[in-house]
Amino acid sequence: MSDNKFALPIHWNDYEDIAMELYEKFGDDFGESKIYRIRFTELLEWVLSLPNFAGKREESNEGHLEQIQSAWVYEWRDNQ
């Protein structure tokens, strides 16, 4: 998805799309326990740097970041 210039923009509520992008970026370097230990400030920067991400920093909140973490764990589990 990240190499596709025609991909739809990703927004804060697109938790599964964000999780898939993060898994593609980091692969198995981050397992379940490591994903849940990521600081939200760091996660925020990673999400903002994803290709096709159209959300704004000021639109983020703790709930979005928690949902992204959970979706990322499920994405990691699905690929094990």
Side-chain angles (χ1 to χ4, degrees), residues 46-65:
W46 292 347
V47 171
L48 290 170
S49 71
L50 292 174
N52 302 321
F53 186 75
K56 305 285 186 243
R57 179 183 304 274
E58 55 273 3
E59 298 169 341
S60 73
N61 60 46
E62 191 172 317
H64 287 307
L65 297 171

Side-chain angles (χ1 to χ4, degrees), residues 9-23 25-26 38-57 59-61 64-69 71-72:
I10 300 171
H11 298 279
W12 284 110
N13 288 333
D14 300 326
Y15 308 124
E16 291 177 7
D17 293 332
I18 294 169
M20 289 186 335
E21 291 286 336
L22 290 170
Y23 183 77
K25 182 174 184 174
F26 295 105
I38 296 169
R39 291 187 180 120
F40 281 168
T41 53
E42 198 168 15
L43 181 58
L44 174 64
E45 295 303 323
W46 292 347
V47 171
L48 290 170
S49 71
L50 292 174
N52 302 321
F53 186 75
K56 305 285 186 243
R57 179 183 304 274
E59 298 169 341
S60 73
N61 60 46
H64 287 307
L65 297 171
E66 289 172 350
Q67 290 292 329
I68 291 166
Q69 272 184 323
W72 188 1

